[in-house]
Amino acid sequence: MNLELQQFKADFFKALGHPLRIRILELLSEGDKNVNELQALIGSEGSAVSQQLSILRNKNIVYGTKDGNKVTYSLRDPMIIELLAVARQIFNNHLIDTISMLDRFNEE
């Protein structure tokens, strides 16, 4: 069981391992969006957005609901929003540490 959980975590974080996928998740955390809306907000080609959505869909991180000829994407688990917030806090903590280190360096 422990190995299965570790493998799940590794696969999960690997699926998050692309800046465009993170941006898509950030946008979906604000509400459901279709590919055209995501493209417009990101300013990226449709094929790039679709490719990254496919990876997120295959890992069950997002899901699509067909509405006519459009597919609207949603986060499968709202905990993703919290995960992104924690990642931002970790980033901020690293910035604070780096700034502190630079301040100490400049004092010497």
Side-chain angles (χ1 to χ4, degrees):
M1 178 67 175
N2 211 12
L3 183 58
E4 290 172 3
L5 179 58
Q6 291 167 349
Q7 187 62 53
F8 170 81
K9 289 178 182 178
D11 291 342
F12 177 79
F13 283 110
K14 184 177 178 182
L16 300 181
H18 191 284
L20 184 52
R21 284 182 231 143
I22 296 296
R23 184 66 184 131
I24 290 169
L25 294 175
E26 289 171 342
L27 290 169
L28 291 178
S29 72
E30 298 169 0
D32 302 347
K33 294 182 179 42
N34 64 47
V35 176
N36 291 336
E37 292 170 320
L38 289 168
Q39 287 172 318
L41 291 166
I42 293 169
S44 181
E45 290 183 19
S47 60
V49 171
S50 294
Q51 182 181 28
Q52 301 309 324
L53 280 167
S54 175
I55 292 167
L56 292 169
R57 213 175 39 248
N58 288 337
K59 293 298 180 184
N60 289 317
I61 296 171
V62 302
Y63 68 96
T65 306
K66 193 138 175 90
D67 182 22
N69 63 348
K70 291 185 180 181
V71 178
T72 300
Y73 288 92
S74 309
L75 296 177
R76 184 165 297 279
D77 189 331
M79 293 290 293
I80 295 290
I81 297 168
E82 292 180 44
L83 179 66
L84 294 172
V86 169
R88 177 180 284 281
Q89 187 59 50
I90 292 169
F91 175 77
N92 290 342
N93 291 344
H94 281 275
L95 283 180
I96 291 168
D97 291 344
T98 302
I99 290 168
S100 297
M101 185 174 48
L102 286 172
D103 287 344
R104 286 193 304 274
F105 179 75
N106 287 333
E107 289 173 0
E108 293 177 359

